[in-house]
Every structure is written in structure tokens, then in C-alpha cells.
Amino acid sequence: FDGTLRVLGAMGYKTVEAAGWHGRSPREFREAVRGAGLDCVSCHYGLSDLIDNSEDRLAFARDVGVRYVLASSPAPSRAIDESNDWAHAIAEAMTLADWRSNAEAMDGIGRRAREMGLRFGYHNHSAEFLSYEGRLPMDEIVRLTDPEHVVLELDIGWVAGAGYDPAEAVRRYADRIHLFHIKDLRTAERVPGKIVADEQTVPIGSGTIDWPAVFAAARAAPLAHWFVEHEPPFETPVIEGLRQSLAYLDNLPEAR
């Protein structure tokens, strides 16, 4: 943990996002990150966890020093088929009613987060861009939540993974987007509303996503931070992939 943070800091990364606290207290986590020259500005929790334990989870994040707390996945009302890959399994487990009840729960969590000096947001996967009774879950989340309570962390890779043009999605939801997850896809398959068959991620700039267009579209959004992300299985060793991604982004004028 500590060595990885130091490698990232030395490589040139400045901010990180937590998805688990690695058995550390808020102070221990904060000191490890800052000791590597990094700033942990946001963190992830599953929405089910936040619904059940929002006060404790928000308080822990506040004590770490993050500014954003994100729901990293929806809360279905029925069990997920663990024999299926996660992207398809969560999409099949959710219903339109689930998405709407999730949005209502998020609005309440976001209201409490604001009271605690935090911003709350939602991080998408591909399911949010599939059709449920003729509606897109992302549209329902935006429609049913107060922008003061719920912002978006748009995962560009998962938008493309649902067959959509990420730059178009950025323009569509620009006023809500405070954060990006950026990861590149190897496949050029794009059928709107259909999860791609090949979900392999590759270093940023070596895949099929038009990053200049994405960052150009983001100029209309209150984008505060973005995070490079790779999903397993890793085609390129993790640290090397992060190095290649940063080198590409450092030379991308639109990302500055």
C-alpha cells in the first residue's frame, strides 16, 4: 500500500480516490497518502452500504479529508447472479423501480453529506445506459435528485462499454459532472444500449476512446478531478499501464 502510493507520487500523479481503507484509521490513511505527496479527494462505497450505514461511512470519509463521497454501484432489490460477469449481472438484477428508489435514497444521503461538509455523487457502470421500460437509469437519477445533493462521477470507459459516445454523454450531463473515471477500451464495438462483448481495458490513449473529444466536451462541466483507472485482467502490467496513461494525458492539450 505505502510503496504503491510512493510510486504513484513519484510518477507524477497528484490525486487519488479510495475504494476501501486497507485496514487503516482515517488518520493513518490520510498520513500515508500525504506522505507520498498525494491528495485523497474522494472515495467509493457501495450504495447498499451507504443506505445501511450512511452516518458512519460519511463520518469516516470526512475524517480522512476527502471532499467527495461516491456511491460506486447501485442497490438491487434481488440477488445478483454471481455466475455472470458483474456488468451484466448488475444490469439484470436492477429494475426501473430499483433505479428510482436508488435515486431517492441517494438524494437523502447527499443531503446529509452536504450537512457534513461533503459532496455526494454517483459513479456509473454500463447498466445506467441501458433501457429499462424505455428509460435510461442515468436520466432517472438526474431527474429524481437535487443537483445540490447528487453530482456525477462519469466513468468514461463504462459509457463506451454501453455503446455510447462518451463525449456526447459528457455534453448531455455536463452540469452534473464533477468527476471522471477514465479508462480506455480495446474494442471499437459500439451499439447504444448493448454492453460490449470485449470489456478489456488498455492504457489511456492506446484504445478506441476519443479522449480529445471527451476533454473538450468537459469544458462545459464543473469538472474538479479525474482518475485513471484500469480494470482486470491487465493486458499491460499495472504500474506500466499507469505510467503510459499519464504520459499520454500529459501530452494531451485538451486535458490541461
Coordinates of all heavy atoms in Angstrom, one line a residue, residues 39-87:
D39 N -3.0 13.6 -2.7 CA -4.2 14.1 -2.0 C -5.3 13.2 -2.3 O -5.7 13.0 -3.5 CB -4.5 15.5 -2.5 CG -5.6 16.2 -1.7 OD1 -6.0 15.6 -0.7 OD2 -6.1 17.2 -2.2
C40 N -6.0 12.6 -1.3 CA -7.1 11.7 -1.5 C -8.4 12.6 -1.5 O -8.8 13.1 -0.4 CB -7.2 10.6 -0.4 SG -8.6 9.5 -0.7
V41 N -9.0 12.9 -2.6 CA -10.0 13.8 -2.7 C -11.4 13.2 -2.7 O -12.4 13.9 -2.6 CB -9.8 14.7 -4.0 CG1 -8.5 15.5 -3.9 CG2 -9.9 13.9 -5.2
S42 N -11.5 11.9 -2.9 CA -12.8 11.2 -3.0 C -12.7 9.8 -2.6 O -11.6 9.2 -2.5 CB -13.4 11.4 -4.4 OG -12.6 10.8 -5.3
C43 N -13.8 9.2 -2.4 CA -13.8 7.7 -2.0 C -15.1 7.1 -2.5 O -16.1 7.8 -2.8 CB -13.7 7.6 -0.5 SG -15.1 8.1 0.5
H44 N -15.1 5.8 -2.5 CA -16.2 5.0 -3.0 C -16.8 4.1 -1.9 O -16.0 3.6 -1.1 CB -15.8 4.0 -4.1 CG -15.8 4.6 -5.5 ND1 -15.8 3.9 -6.6 CD2 -15.8 5.9 -5.9 CE1 -15.8 4.7 -7.7 NE2 -15.8 5.9 -7.3
Y45 N -18.1 4.0 -1.9 CA -18.8 3.0 -1.1 C -19.9 2.4 -2.0 O -20.5 3.2 -2.8 CB -19.5 3.6 0.1 CG -18.6 4.1 1.3 CD1 -18.4 5.4 1.5 CD2 -17.9 3.2 2.1 CE1 -17.6 5.9 2.5 CE2 -17.1 3.6 3.1 CZ -16.9 5.0 3.3 OH -16.1 5.4 4.4
G46 N -20.3 1.2 -1.8 CA -21.5 0.6 -2.5 C -22.7 1.3 -1.9 O -22.8 1.7 -0.7
L47 N -23.7 1.5 -2.8 CA -24.9 2.2 -2.3 C -25.6 1.5 -1.2 O -26.1 2.1 -0.2 CB -25.9 2.5 -3.5 CG -27.1 3.3 -3.1 CD1 -26.8 4.6 -2.5 CD2 -28.0 3.4 -4.4
S48 N -25.6 0.2 -1.3 CA -26.3 -0.6 -0.2 C -25.6 -0.3 1.2 O -26.3 -0.2 2.2 CB -26.2 -2.1 -0.5 OG -26.9 -2.4 -1.6
D49 N -24.3 -0.2 1.2 CA -23.5 0.1 2.4 C -23.9 1.5 2.9 O -24.1 1.7 4.1 CB -22.0 0.0 2.1 CG -21.2 -0.1 3.4 OD1 -21.8 -0.3 4.4 OD2 -20.0 0.1 3.3
L50 N -24.0 2.4 2.0 CA -24.4 3.8 2.4 C -25.8 3.9 2.9 O -26.1 4.6 3.8 CB -24.2 4.7 1.2 CG -22.7 5.1 0.9 CD1 -22.6 5.7 -0.5 CD2 -22.2 6.0 1.9
I51 N -26.7 3.1 2.3 CA -28.1 3.1 2.8 C -28.2 2.6 4.2 O -28.9 3.1 5.0 CB -29.0 2.3 1.8 CG1 -29.2 3.0 0.5 CG2 -30.4 2.0 2.5 CD1 -29.8 2.2 -0.6
D52 N -27.4 1.5 4.5 CA -27.4 0.9 5.8 C -26.6 1.6 6.8 O -26.9 1.6 8.0 CB -26.9 -0.6 5.7 CG -27.8 -1.4 4.8 OD1 -29.0 -1.1 4.7 OD2 -27.4 -2.5 4.3
N53 N -25.5 2.3 6.4 CA -24.5 2.9 7.3 C -24.1 4.2 6.9 O -22.9 4.6 7.1 CB -23.3 1.9 7.4 CG -23.7 0.5 7.8 OD1 -24.0 0.2 8.9 ND2 -23.6 -0.4 6.8
S54 N -25.0 5.1 6.4 CA -24.5 6.3 5.9 C -23.8 7.2 6.9 O -22.8 7.8 6.5 CB -25.7 7.1 5.2 OG -26.7 7.4 6.2
E55 N -24.3 7.3 8.1 CA -23.6 8.2 9.1 C -22.2 7.8 9.3 O -21.3 8.7 9.3 CB -24.5 8.2 10.4 CG -24.2 9.4 11.2 CD -24.7 10.7 10.7 OE1 -25.6 10.7 9.8 OE2 -24.2 11.8 11.1
D56 N -22.0 6.5 9.6 CA -20.6 6.1 9.9 C -19.7 6.2 8.7 O -18.5 6.6 8.8 CB -20.6 4.6 10.3 CG -21.2 4.4 11.7 OD1 -21.4 5.4 12.4 OD2 -21.6 3.3 12.1
R57 N -20.2 5.9 7.5 CA -19.4 5.9 6.3 C -19.0 7.4 5.9 O -17.9 7.7 5.6 CB -20.1 5.2 5.1 CG -20.4 3.8 5.3 CD -19.2 2.9 5.5 NE -19.4 1.5 5.7 CZ -19.4 0.9 6.8 NH1 -19.0 1.5 8.0 NH2 -19.6 -0.4 6.9
L58 N -20.0 8.2 6.0 CA -19.7 9.6 5.7 C -18.7 10.2 6.7 O -17.8 11.0 6.4 CB -21.0 10.4 5.7 CG -22.0 10.1 4.5 CD1 -23.3 10.8 4.8 CD2 -21.4 10.5 3.2
A59 N -18.9 9.9 8.0 CA -18.0 10.4 9.0 C -16.6 10.0 8.8 O -15.6 10.7 9.0 CB -18.5 10.0 10.4
F60 N -16.4 8.7 8.5 CA -15.1 8.2 8.2 C -14.4 8.9 7.1 O -13.3 9.4 7.2 CB -15.1 6.7 7.9 CG -13.8 6.0 8.0 CD1 -13.5 5.1 9.1 CD2 -12.9 6.1 7.0 CE1 -12.3 4.4 9.1 CE2 -11.6 5.5 7.1 CZ -11.4 4.6 8.1
A61 N -15.2 9.1 6.0 CA -14.6 9.8 4.8 C -14.3 11.2 5.2 O -13.2 11.7 4.8 CB -15.6 9.7 3.7
R62 N -15.1 11.9 5.9 CA -14.9 13.3 6.3 C -13.6 13.3 7.1 O -12.8 14.3 6.9 CB -16.0 13.8 7.2 CG -15.9 15.2 7.7 CD -16.8 15.4 8.9 NE -16.6 14.5 10.0 CZ -17.4 14.2 10.9 NH1 -18.6 14.8 10.9 NH2 -17.1 13.3 11.9
D63 N -13.4 12.4 8.0 CA -12.2 12.4 8.9 C -10.9 12.1 8.1 O -9.8 12.5 8.5 CB -12.3 11.4 10.0 CG -13.4 11.8 11.0 OD1 -13.8 13.0 10.9 OD2 -13.9 11.0 11.8
V64 N -11.0 11.3 7.0 CA -9.9 11.1 6.1 C -9.5 12.4 5.4 O -8.3 12.7 5.2 CB -10.2 10.1 5.0 CG1 -9.1 10.0 3.9 CG2 -10.3 8.7 5.6
G65 N -10.5 13.3 5.1 CA -10.3 14.6 4.5 C -10.7 14.6 3.1 O -10.3 15.6 2.4
V66 N -11.5 13.7 2.6 CA -12.0 13.7 1.2 C -13.0 14.8 1.1 O -13.6 15.3 2.0 CB -12.6 12.4 0.8 CG1 -11.7 11.2 1.0 CG2 -13.9 12.1 1.5
R67 N -13.3 15.2 -0.2 CA -14.3 16.2 -0.5 C -15.5 15.6 -1.1 O -16.6 16.1 -1.0 CB -13.8 17.3 -1.4 CG -13.1 18.4 -0.8 CD -11.6 18.1 -0.4 NE -10.7 18.4 -1.5 CZ -9.4 18.0 -1.5 NH1 -8.9 17.3 -0.5 NH2 -8.6 18.3 -2.5
Y68 N -15.3 14.4 -1.8 CA -16.4 13.8 -2.4 C -16.6 12.3 -1.9 O -15.6 11.6 -1.7 CB -16.2 13.7 -3.9 CG -16.3 15.0 -4.7 CD1 -15.2 15.8 -4.8 CD2 -17.5 15.4 -5.2 CE1 -15.3 17.0 -5.5 CE2 -17.6 16.6 -5.9 CZ -16.5 17.4 -6.0 OH -16.6 18.6 -6.7
V69 N -17.8 11.9 -1.7 CA -18.1 10.5 -1.4 C -19.0 10.0 -2.5 O -20.1 10.6 -2.8 CB -18.8 10.4 0.0 CG1 -19.3 8.9 0.2 CG2 -17.9 10.8 1.1
L70 N -18.7 8.9 -3.1 CA -19.4 8.4 -4.3 C -20.0 7.1 -4.0 O -19.4 6.2 -3.4 CB -18.4 8.2 -5.5 CG -17.9 9.5 -6.2 CD1 -19.0 10.4 -6.6 CD2 -16.8 10.1 -5.4
A71 N -21.2 6.9 -4.4 CA -21.8 5.5 -4.5 C -21.3 4.9 -5.7 O -21.5 5.3 -6.9 CB -23.4 5.6 -4.5
S72 N -20.6 3.7 -5.6 CA -19.9 3.1 -6.7 C -20.7 2.1 -7.4 O -20.3 1.6 -8.5 CB -18.6 2.4 -6.1 OG -19.0 1.5 -5.1
S73 N -21.9 1.7 -6.9 CA -22.7 0.7 -7.6 C -24.1 0.8 -7.0 O -24.3 1.3 -5.9 CB -22.1 -0.7 -7.3 OG -22.0 -0.9 -5.9
P74 N -25.1 0.4 -7.8 CA -26.5 0.5 -7.3 C -26.8 -0.6 -6.3 O -26.0 -1.5 -6.1 CB -27.3 0.4 -8.6 CG -26.4 -0.5 -9.5 CD -25.0 -0.1 -9.2
A75 N -28.0 -0.5 -5.8 CA -28.5 -1.4 -4.8 C -29.7 -2.1 -5.4 O -30.9 -1.6 -5.3 CB -28.9 -0.7 -3.5
P76 N -29.6 -3.3 -5.9 CA -30.7 -4.0 -6.5 C -31.6 -4.6 -5.4 O -31.2 -4.9 -4.2 CB -30.1 -5.2 -7.3 CG -28.8 -5.4 -6.7 CD -28.3 -4.1 -6.1
S77 N -32.9 -4.9 -5.7 CA -33.8 -5.5 -4.7 C -33.8 -7.0 -4.8 O -34.4 -7.6 -3.9 CB -35.2 -5.0 -5.0 OG -35.6 -5.3 -6.3
R78 N -33.0 -7.5 -5.7 CA -32.9 -9.0 -5.8 C -31.5 -9.4 -5.9 O -30.6 -8.6 -6.2 CB -33.7 -9.5 -7.0 CG -33.4 -8.9 -8.3 CD -34.4 -9.3 -9.4 NE -34.2 -8.6 -10.6 CZ -34.9 -8.8 -11.7 NH1 -35.9 -9.7 -11.7 NH2 -34.7 -8.1 -12.8
A79 N -31.2 -10.7 -5.7 CA -29.8 -11.1 -5.7 C -29.2 -11.0 -7.0 O -29.8 -11.2 -8.1 CB -29.8 -12.6 -5.2
I80 N -27.9 -10.8 -7.0 CA -27.1 -10.8 -8.3 C -26.7 -12.2 -8.6 O -26.3 -13.0 -7.8 CB -25.8 -9.9 -8.1 CG1 -26.3 -8.4 -7.9 CG2 -24.9 -10.0 -9.3 CD1 -25.1 -7.5 -7.5
D81 N -26.7 -12.5 -9.9 CA -26.3 -13.8 -10.4 C -24.8 -13.8 -10.5 O -24.2 -13.3 -11.4 CB -26.9 -14.0 -11.8 CG -26.5 -15.4 -12.4 OD1 -25.8 -16.2 -11.7 OD2 -26.8 -15.7 -13.6
E82 N -24.2 -14.5 -9.5 CA -22.7 -14.4 -9.4 C -22.0 -15.3 -10.4 O -20.8 -15.3 -10.6 CB -22.3 -14.9 -8.0 CG -22.8 -13.9 -6.9 CD -22.2 -14.2 -5.5 OE1 -21.5 -15.2 -5.4 OE2 -22.6 -13.4 -4.6
S83 N -22.8 -16.1 -11.2 CA -22.2 -16.9 -12.3 C -22.0 -16.0 -13.5 O -21.2 -16.5 -14.4 CB -23.1 -18.1 -12.6 OG -24.3 -17.7 -13.2
N84 N -22.5 -14.9 -13.6 CA -22.4 -14.0 -14.7 C -21.4 -12.9 -14.4 O -21.0 -12.7 -13.2 CB -23.8 -13.3 -15.0 CG -23.9 -12.8 -16.4 OD1 -23.0 -12.8 -17.2 ND2 -25.1 -12.4 -16.8
D85 N -20.8 -12.3 -15.4 CA -19.9 -11.2 -15.2 C -20.6 -10.0 -14.6 O -21.8 -9.9 -14.8 CB -19.1 -10.7 -16.5 CG -20.1 -10.0 -17.4 OD1 -20.1 -8.8 -17.3 OD2 -20.7 -10.6 -18.2
W86 N -19.9 -9.2 -13.8 CA -20.6 -8.2 -12.9 C -21.4 -7.2 -13.7 O -22.5 -6.9 -13.3 CB -19.6 -7.5 -12.0 CG -20.2 -6.7 -10.9 CD1 -20.6 -7.2 -9.7 CD2 -20.7 -5.4 -11.0 NE1 -21.2 -6.2 -9.0 CE2 -21.3 -5.1 -9.7 CE3 -20.6 -4.4 -11.9 CZ2 -21.8 -3.8 -9.4 CZ3 -21.1 -3.1 -11.7 CH2 -21.7 -2.9 -10.4
A87 N -20.9 -6.7 -14.8 CA -21.6 -5.7 -15.6 C -22.9 -6.2 -16.0 O -23.9 -5.5 -15.9 CB -20.7 -5.3 -16.8

